[in-house]
Amino acid sequence: MGNIPDGLKRKLSSYFTFSSVKLVRKQGAIDTTLKFLWKLSDGQYVESVLIPASPSFYGEASDRHTLCVSTQVGCAYGCKFCASGLEGFKRNLKPGEVIDQVLAVETLFKKRVSGGKRLITNLVIMGMGEPLANYDNLLDALNILNSKWSANIGARKITISTSGLVPQIIKLSDQPRQYRLAISLHGATDEVRDKIMPINRKYSLSKLTDAVEIYQSKKKGSITFEYILIDGINDGVDQVPHLAMLSDRLRAKVNIIPYNNVEGLRYKRPSATSQESFMKALIDKGVRATLRREKGHDIDAACGQLRLRKEKELDSNGN
Ligand code: SAH
Ligand code: SF4
């Protein structure tokens, strides 16, 4: 702003900040998935991932871009395979810190989008943290991002992923907007889920499916099950009939995602052959399933991995 005196500029900048996130690292994979590491005002780190619909993102107009955003620093839910929970929970993000992940990416790519359009058309709340454990801040942020006067991202283009917080799923079904719901299932029996997701001991599969049914009775659109395939843990075809039954009951699409190996954890991605046998068995049962080739595998795109690396770097530097 050229029309205000320098003294006033200095004064204003000591009182106000325009963004609560500062870019510290941007990492791109060959297939054009881009990952951002942000520093928050209190020195904590969170991440976002930009996933273009088509691989020809650079230089070409591709209309769909999905941003995956974080909602917490760390996570209290401690799923055994996940990097986000490894060092426990630090804090909830404020609504502005969720919104600023979107705005900061828009600002970085402003020149690529013409005619006042926006880059980000879809949001997935699948970054670091359990979104429904930060319910009020999340809904404040999403309701703003959804508003016409703001980013104007349609509610149906916003997917909230949860590990299965039953009371909050029911609460979400009572608010007016049609946000989409994805359930991180990762096991189709309590036996398997109990082993890798501590939340299942509190909200078992029967409680979870009841809550999802309530959600569906009030909302249009189908829900998604996320099912990461982990070698020897949940990739046995014995899970398939249970998964088929759950997806049939809840009319859910199933996203099969090969596990992204995490440094320091003993879990492994299964071979391509066992991924395909699992998929085939599901399709044979009539399940609407897709095998998601993890685009960001080579840039640590699974939630929490980039931050974990940064924290380790800081530790080894004695910071
Ligand atoms: N807490 C929420 C949302 C964030 S996690 C949830 O659990 O749904 C987003 C997704 O990434 C979840 O489905 C989660 O289980 C999955 N995920 C976590 N670690 C992963 C890894 N190493 N490889 C692949 N997916 C992973
Ligand atoms: Fe938390 Fe989701 Fe990771 Fe589980 S999978 S520890 S709920 S971020």
Side-chain angles (χ1 to χ4, degrees):
M1 294 171 79
N3 59 347
I4 49 173
D6 284 351
L8 181 56
K9 277 188 200 162
R10 275 194 297 277
K11 196 162 184 180
L12 287 172
S13 65
S14 67
Y15 283 101
F16 302 104
T17 45
F18 283 105
S19 181
S20 56
V21 304
K22 198 168 149 240
L23 184 68
V24 287
R25 190 173 289 176
K26 187 164 107 221
Q27 225 175 300
I30 324 136
D31 57 356
T32 76
T33 299
L34 274 174
K35 182 143 189 169
F36 307 89
L37 183 70
W38 311 108
K39 191 171 187 173
L40 305 174
S41 50
D42 62 351
Q44 306 276 3
Y45 296 95
V46 290
E47 340 172 353
S48 319
V49 185
L50 182 67
I51 311 143
S54 94
S56 54
F57 166 54
Y58 292 109
E60 273 182 42
S62 160
D63 47 358
R64 202 177 79 193
H65 287 91
T66 302
L67 189 74
C68 172
V69 298
S70 294
T71 53
Q72 297 184 313
V73 182
C75 182
Y77 289 84
C79 302
K80 301 274 197 294
F81 49 80
C82 175
S84 290
L86 270 184
E87 288 174 15
F89 169 72
K90 296 263 167 61
R91 71 168 174 89
N92 282 328
L93 294 196
K94 292 177 228 143
E97 292 170 322
V98 175
I99 294 169
D100 278 341
Q101 294 172 60
V102 180
L103 295 189
V105 174
E106 287 285 353
T107 307
L108 281 172
F109 293 99
K110 189 163 66 190
K111 293 206 180 101
R112 291 182 191 274
V113 199
S114 56
K117 281 204 211 133
R118 290 180 188 272
L119 179 80
I120 297 160
T121 52
N122 296 58
L123 285 182
V124 289
I125 319 301
M126 294 187 183
M128 190 189 301
E130 168 47 56
L132 294 188
N134 187 12
Y135 187 94
D136 291 342
N137 289 350
L138 173 76
L139 268 281
D140 280 355
L142 295 186
N143 292 347
I144 289 173
L145 288 165
N146 172 240
S147 304
K148 291 239 168 5
W149 50 266
S150 169
N152 197 17
I153 304 174
R156 286 177 201 188
K157 295 187 169 174
I158 301 178
T159 303
I160 303 171
S161 174
T162 178
S163 57
L165 271 64
V166 162
Q168 285 89 335
I169 292 173
I170 294 168
K171 201 167 159 193
L172 193 67
S173 73
D174 282 330
Q175 60 75 48
R177 288 177 169 87
Q178 296 279 350
Y179 296 125
R180 288 192 184 270
L181 190 63
I183 305 289
S184 288
L185 203 65
H186 312 330
T189 54
D190 283 322
E191 197 196 345
V192 169
R193 242 181 152 246
D194 276 347
K195 270 193 220 151
I196 49 177
M197 301 181 75
I199 191 162
N200 199 63
R201 305 227 175 92
K202 186 158 185 196
Y203 302 118
S204 64
L205 273 172
S206 78
K207 289 183 187 150
L208 179 58
T209 43
D210 286 351
V212 174
E213 254 176 358
I214 294 175
Y215 188 85
Q216 279 186 315
S217 67
K218 298 190 186 163
K219 302 281 171 207
K220 297 188 200 94
S222 62
I223 63 139
T224 307
F225 287 150
E226 305 283 314
Y227 195 105
I228 48 175
L229 277 183
I230 312 177
D231 191 31
I233 302 286
N234 63 0
D235 62 341
V237 284
D238 57 314
Q239 285 292 297
V240 169
H242 302 282
L243 185 51
M245 204 178 67
L246 288 173
S247 100
D248 186 47
R249 178 173 157 200
L250 299 174
R251 302 186 309 279
K253 290 182 289 185
V254 181
N255 248 343
I256 301 289
I257 308 144
Y259 180 63
N260 235 328
N261 297 347
V262 176
E263 217 181 295
L265 292 182
R266 62 193 166 88
Y267 299 100
K268 292 276 169 289
R269 170 180 287 206
S271 68
T273 327
S274 44
Q275 292 173 29
E276 271 142 33
S277 333
F278 194 88
M279 266 305 283
K280 185 176 178 305
L282 267 183
I283 306 281
D284 287 349
K285 285 253 172 221
V287 177
R288 283 185 299 154
T290 47
L291 180 66
R292 195 164 85 197
R293 304 265 170 222
E294 194 55 73
K295 280 192 181 165
H297 192 51
D298 44 355
I299 53 156
D300 306 330
C303 65
Q305 292 190 54
L306 201 65
R307 165 183 170 258
L308 195 68
R309 184 157 298 169
K310 182 76 187 169
E311 302 275 338
K312 281 186 182 158
E313 261 171 45
L314 292 175
D315 277 355
S316 62
N317 292 337
N319 292 310

